[in-house]
Amino acid sequence: MKIKLSGKLKNLLILTTAFLLINTVSGAVIKESISGKPVDDATIAAGKTLFTNKCASCHAIDNKLIGPALKDVHKRRQYDWLTKWIRNNEELRKSGDKDAIEVWEKNNKAAMNTFTDLNDDDIASIVMYIEDASAGGDKPAAAGPTAVDTGLSAPVDPSLISRVNWMMILLFVLIAVILFTIVKIIDQVSAIRGSEVIKWNEINGLICVLFMIAGFIACIWEFSVHGKMVLPEAATEHGRKVDQMFNITLYFTGFVFVITEFLLFYFAFKYRGRKGKVALYYSHNNKIEAVWTIIPAIVLTVLVIGGLKTWNGITNNPERNKFNVEIFAYQFGWSARFPGADGKLGNSNWNLIANDNLLGVAIKEKAEGLIPVLMKDTADFAKQIKELPLKLAVLKSDLGGLVGEERDAQLSKIAEIEDGIAESDLRKSTSNRVIQIGRIKKSLETANEKAFYDNSGLDDIIVDNEIHIPINRTITFKFRARDVIHSAYIPMFRSQINVVPGLPTEIVFKPIETTKEKQAKLNRPDFDYYILCAKICGSGHFSMKMKIVVDSEADYKAWINKQNGAFVKEKPTAPVENQKDSTQKILAIN
Amino acid sequence: MSQTATHKANAHGHDDHGHHKENFITKYVFSQDHKMISKQFLITGIIMGCFGMLMSVLFRLQLAWPNSSFPILEYLLGSKWAPGGKLDSSFYMGLVTIHGTIMVFFVLTAGLSGTFSNLLIPLQVGARDMASPFMNMLSYWFFFASSVVLTFSVFIESGPAAAGWTVYPPLSALPKAMPGSGLGMTLWLVAMVLFIGSALLGGINYISTVLNMRTKGMSMNRMPLTIWAFFFTAVLGLLSFPVLLGGSLLLIFDRSFGTSFYLSDIFLNGEGALANSGGSPVLFQHLFWFLGHPEVYIIILPALGITSEIIAVNARKPIFGYTAMVISMIGIAFLSFIVWGHHMFITGMNPLLGMVFMIFTLIIAVPSAVKTFNYLATLWRGNIQFTPAMLFAIGLVSFFISGGLTGIFLGNAAIDIQLHDTYFVVAHFHLVMGCAAIFGMMAGIYHWYPRLYGRMMNKTLGYMHFWLTFIAAYMVFFPMHFIGLAGIPRRYYQFTVLPEFGVWDDVNVLITVAAIVGAFSQLLFLYNFFSSIFYGTKSEQNPWKSNTLEWTSPIDERLHGNWPGAIPTVHRWPYDYSKPGYEDDFIPQTVPDDGNEEVLAHQHTSSPVSPEKTITPEVVHFSALLLKWLGLRQS
């Protein structure tokens, strides 16, 4: 039967089919990201780099790290919302966006860092990368679950795990039953015989000496296997001395370890109790006490003197402040600031930290521009305090429909307002802002102003993720912390110092091996020097890192001249020399 | 208090001032009897220890298998702390923190020192009870309250304190820096204040009893080494815990009252610039470690004292170098107050201070070495009876050697730069505290169990417990030295920050498996401990054939005042084991000198004599003089 279609309907049908066909075909051939851009490998790669540098310390694709898992986030959120959130989630939340506030609350109210410097292309590439990774593409390196393939990547059938678990439990129970039965038998036979069935002294004595032999073998194994997995040779001058100190100490302590552990277990075996044996009543010998007091004292004096010399060389380096780089630690990452063409690091203060001035550098315009932002905040807080009763009413009225965890969360929010916590928090925040505004104003008005807001900070170069330093020069890293105590630990340099809010610290060192040289020596082209955090600083403590590349003088110059000043748009006209005394002032403006 | 002051050491027993009816509450709950209090400390310590050990197994699971999901975790801990069956990183930090706090304070201080000081001081010095039984009871109940508060803090909504057991501000001072720094941290501080109260109340008692209530003939140099150890421990605690209390109070002020003792120059992401200015986080570290360092000696000294006693009894030999042991304890106690900065070499404090602390830290290694050598010399030519207690004592010496030697690396400031806050430190302190000290506690439990409960613990289970735990403990902590030497920091949720850290994944699995085996081995102990209370073989009066006074007191729960009649008089030191010319290989302290004693150049027999009458070697003479100057010697 032929179906006769009207003209209009026919057109519609043709159009619809064509439309569907084109979309299906194009969908198969040209995929589109939710950003509207066509998916291509170059953008994904760029997105991966950005993701690794900026997001990976807190986010993984497949599981929650410090922030939520990002798998399929593009399916859950609109692109516009994502862009706003990524760039400045604080502003989005302040604007009252419900989703934003929900995400923040669900994440223990831990705020995400802001990334106001990301442009549209950047964000599009990041999202594209997430889309690709969610679909099974390349995962971020060294940030999510194990970067090295340990063979655990294939998901195991959960029912198999369950069966194995039950079998292991059963095994344990059986072993326990067997053990107890043995014990019972031994005890009862001993009771019947009236004497010990098993010569426990003999057995334990024997096991002592067997343990000793096994233990020494295990030590040898440890040193030869795990001992080879420790850090490669130090890449700084003082680092080599530290390692020397370590080795000398190891020789002495190793010697003592072997002798004393041997004697301990050997005596335990040799003098195990037997019938008819009598111990020797020997209560003291002051001469030998003197001997084994004085000899350790001498050895330790040697170690102390060596240690003092090394320590003094490290902490009292006359070449400090010849080449300064500021390293700024925050939850959860590192930033670095180079002095720029004028050779001076600009002054800084925590009151000046803002989204466009993440390190709080003393730049007059920025400071002046910050005041209205802060005043808006205080106005916001006041508004929120006024609106609290309304918010409470809304929460209470919504309560009825909720159950379980959601209901509990809602009840918490209600309690927070009713108990006055919400209000006191807002008042505290207000007072912090007010004091901050007062301090900034004072710094702009007092006699210190010229000295503090000198223009040395304008050409400072701020770098994340990767810094370069030249070889064979004495570098001083000046440390500042934004929020809590972090610890700047550079294992390959044998350097470590706490980064303390309110207490400027520094390390002074001289790198003696470039990254390239080290990579060649170790035959590991992906080896790099890193700074890690070694003082517990919050949930992201384990993923703070920044790469340090040691370059030849020429390579370093090439790198630094490619960097832009953070607060000026042009490249530095003169090549950057780091000669002047760049002791920065961290002025207390209070 | 005035009532007890009128009780002289050798006076009438407890019953004399009016027999009062004991009910369940006064006998088992609010008991003022030091033996009951010691059991209370012990059992609470054991329960807290189980809790702390469970936490360590949980976070070891995360470290060994960071990729896997354990649905049972999500079932037990909820989707907030174990979403998808993997521990949340904030909760991981909380587990690590509470594990450390429980183990250091609630198990090793209260469970070791609290138990054995309470049990042994009156019994071994020959006193009816502690100087103030009421304060003693309070000391337990403060400890109990502290344990309850800390345990509850794990289950609150925002999570337990999570800034490490060292709780440095600003992290621990600012709730917005991490969720555990909210109510969880407040409860931690409350628990610590209560705990410090307990420690002080106990410490005052221990010191007073040792100094004032020794029985006739019990001069200071006839006391067993356990009592010397408990005495110095109590002095350490009395002088150092108040400093932590002060530091904690300042932290409470910073958290709740807007002060800035520890806070300055802080910008919190999401909150903004804080107004606090002028404070120094390093101040907290000084105050914390001023307790923190003596604290670790508070933990190890009782263990060492217990070991001295157990090795001597079971080797059937006098402890070698009694006086040297006492002097080295004095050395350790004194030096422990001036080395706290070795925890702070890289905090940014003046490097000159670092030099000072390094010198004293390496000096303190000397008395520790002397003690170790003395233990070895005691074993030499002994007649060793391998009771479970003896095995644990030998294990303690092994761990003390291993852990103490790595302390020499860390005490050297230059080397510490590289090793601070890495797994090397974790290995070091676990070997000395988590292994050596806990073995001291185990040794003490196995040895004095008959004194506590009148029954014997099962020996075979004891052997199994020892060997399994000993081997497991070494397997857990020895590889950690190398992980630290590879530059891997501690308190890391997973080893993913650098690809080269991934080579340690298999080692982490090995460590975790060993830890789980070790944890299960403790079930042997728990079963043994609790079942022997009811079903253990009844013990004889002096099962270990020991010389000390506690074995002369009948084990009868109805008996107060430790001895039914008069308190025994002491005629000799406690280490006459295998003395030539005697039938038995032990001579209890109460056995009088029959006048024919060969004086083996050790004036520990016969009554205490004034210095000029003896022909003692200079060392003994000096110690006697020193004790007299310190006002410690009854002359």
Side-chain angles (χ1 to χ4, degrees), chain A residues 2-27:
Chain A
K2 244 192 160 186
I3 301 170
K4 195 94 171 60
L5 294 163
S6 75
K8 280 217 180 103
L9 200 56
K10 210 183 194 178
N11 285 338
L12 188 60
L13 208 59
I14 292 172
L15 274 173
T16 317
T17 319
F19 177 76
L20 283 170
L21 264 174
I22 289 171
N23 268 328
T24 326
V25 168
S26 67

Coordinates of all heavy atoms in Angstrom, one line a residue, chain A residues 2-27:
Chain A
K2 N 0.6 2.1 -0.9 CA 1.4 3.3 -0.9 C 0.7 4.4 -0.1 O -0.4 4.7 -0.2 CB 1.5 3.7 -2.4 CG 2.9 3.6 -2.9 CD 3.0 4.3 -4.3 CE 4.4 4.7 -4.5 NZ 4.6 5.5 -5.7
I3 N 1.5 4.9 0.7 CA 1.0 6.0 1.6 C 1.3 7.3 0.9 O 2.4 7.7 0.6 CB 1.6 6.0 2.9 CG1 1.4 4.7 3.6 CG2 1.1 7.2 3.8 CD1 2.1 4.5 4.9
K4 N 0.2 8.0 0.6 CA 0.4 9.3 0.0 C 0.5 10.4 1.0 O -0.3 10.6 1.9 CB -0.9 9.6 -0.9 CG -0.7 10.7 -1.9 CD -0.3 10.0 -3.3 CE -0.3 11.0 -4.4 NZ 0.4 12.1 -4.5
L5 N 1.7 11.1 1.0 CA 1.9 12.2 1.9 C 1.6 13.5 1.3 O 2.0 13.7 0.2 CB 3.3 12.2 2.5 CG 3.7 10.9 3.3 CD1 5.2 10.8 3.3 CD2 3.1 11.0 4.6
S6 N 1.1 14.4 2.1 CA 0.9 15.7 1.5 C 2.2 16.4 1.3 O 3.2 16.0 1.9 CB 0.1 16.6 2.5 OG 0.9 16.9 3.6
G7 N 2.3 17.4 0.5 CA 3.5 18.1 0.2 C 4.2 18.6 1.4 O 5.4 18.3 1.6
K8 N 3.5 19.3 2.3 CA 4.1 19.8 3.4 C 4.7 18.8 4.3 O 5.9 18.9 4.8 CB 3.1 20.6 4.3 CG 2.8 22.0 3.8 CD 2.6 23.0 4.9 CE 2.3 24.3 4.3 NZ 0.9 24.7 4.4
L9 N 3.9 17.7 4.5 CA 4.4 16.6 5.4 C 5.6 16.0 4.8 O 6.6 15.7 5.5 CB 3.3 15.6 5.6 CG 3.4 14.7 6.8 CD1 3.5 15.5 8.1 CD2 2.2 13.7 6.8
K10 N 5.6 15.9 3.5 CA 6.7 15.2 2.8 C 8.0 16.0 3.1 O 9.1 15.5 3.4 CB 6.5 15.2 1.3 CG 7.1 14.0 0.6 CD 6.8 14.2 -0.9 CE 7.1 13.0 -1.7 NZ 6.7 13.2 -3.1
N11 N 7.9 17.4 2.9 CA 9.0 18.2 3.2 C 9.5 18.1 4.6 O 10.7 18.0 4.8 CB 8.7 19.7 2.9 CG 8.5 20.0 1.5 OD1 9.1 19.3 0.6 ND2 7.8 21.0 1.1
L12 N 8.6 18.1 5.5 CA 8.9 18.0 6.9 C 9.7 16.7 7.1 O 10.7 16.6 7.8 CB 7.7 18.0 7.8 CG 7.9 18.1 9.3 CD1 8.7 19.4 9.6 CD2 6.6 18.1 10.0
L13 N 9.2 15.6 6.5 CA 9.8 14.3 6.7 C 11.2 14.3 6.2 O 12.2 13.8 6.8 CB 9.0 13.3 6.0 CG 9.0 11.9 6.6 CD1 8.5 11.9 8.0 CD2 8.2 10.9 5.8
I14 N 11.4 14.9 5.0 CA 12.7 14.9 4.3 C 13.7 15.7 5.2 O 14.8 15.3 5.5 CB 12.6 15.5 2.9 CG1 11.9 14.6 2.0 CG2 14.1 15.7 2.4 CD1 11.6 15.2 0.7
L15 N 13.1 16.9 5.7 CA 14.0 17.7 6.5 C 14.4 17.0 7.8 O 15.6 17.0 8.2 CB 13.3 19.0 6.8 CG 13.4 20.1 5.8 CD1 12.5 21.3 6.1 CD2 14.8 20.6 5.7
T16 N 13.4 16.4 8.4 CA 13.7 15.7 9.7 C 14.8 14.7 9.5 O 15.7 14.6 10.3 CB 12.4 15.1 10.3 OG1 11.4 16.0 10.1 CG2 12.7 14.8 11.7
T17 N 14.5 13.8 8.5 CA 15.5 12.8 8.2 C 16.9 13.3 7.9 O 17.9 12.8 8.5 CB 15.0 11.9 7.0 OG1 13.6 11.8 7.0 CG2 15.8 10.6 7.0
A18 N 16.9 14.3 7.1 CA 18.2 14.9 6.8 C 18.9 15.4 8.0 O 20.0 15.2 8.3 CB 18.0 16.1 5.8
F19 N 18.0 16.1 8.8 CA 18.6 16.7 10.1 C 19.2 15.6 10.9 O 20.3 15.7 11.4 CB 17.4 17.4 10.8 CG 17.8 18.0 12.1 CD1 18.6 19.1 12.2 CD2 17.4 17.4 13.3 CE1 19.0 19.6 13.5 CE2 17.8 17.9 14.5 CZ 18.6 19.0 14.6
L20 N 18.4 14.5 11.1 CA 18.8 13.4 11.9 C 20.1 12.8 11.4 O 21.1 12.6 12.1 CB 17.7 12.4 12.1 CG 16.6 12.7 13.0 CD1 15.5 11.7 12.9 CD2 17.1 12.8 14.5
L21 N 20.0 12.6 10.1 CA 21.2 12.0 9.4 C 22.5 12.8 9.6 O 23.5 12.3 10.0 CB 20.9 11.8 7.9 CG 20.4 10.5 7.4 CD1 20.1 10.5 6.0 CD2 21.4 9.4 7.7
I22 N 22.3 14.1 9.4 CA 23.5 14.9 9.5 C 24.0 14.9 10.9 O 25.2 14.7 11.1 CB 23.2 16.4 9.0 CG1 22.9 16.4 7.5 CG2 24.3 17.3 9.4 CD1 22.4 17.8 7.1
N23 N 23.1 15.0 11.8 CA 23.6 15.1 13.2 C 24.2 13.8 13.6 O 25.2 13.7 14.3 CB 22.4 15.4 14.2 CG 22.3 16.9 14.4 OD1 23.3 17.5 14.4 ND2 21.1 17.4 14.6
T24 N 23.6 12.6 13.2 CA 24.2 11.4 13.6 C 25.6 11.2 13.0 O 26.5 10.8 13.6 CB 23.3 10.2 13.1 OG1 21.9 10.6 13.2 CG2 23.5 9.0 13.9
V25 N 25.6 11.5 11.6 CA 26.9 11.3 11.0 C 27.9 12.3 11.6 O 29.0 11.9 11.9 CB 26.7 11.7 9.4 CG1 28.1 11.8 8.8 CG2 25.9 10.5 8.8
S26 N 27.5 13.5 11.7 CA 28.5 14.5 12.3 C 28.8 14.1 13.7 O 29.9 14.3 14.2 CB 27.9 15.9 12.2 OG 26.8 16.0 13.1
G27 N 27.8 13.6 14.4 CA 28.1 13.1 15.8 C 29.2 12.1 15.8 O 30.1 12.0 16.6

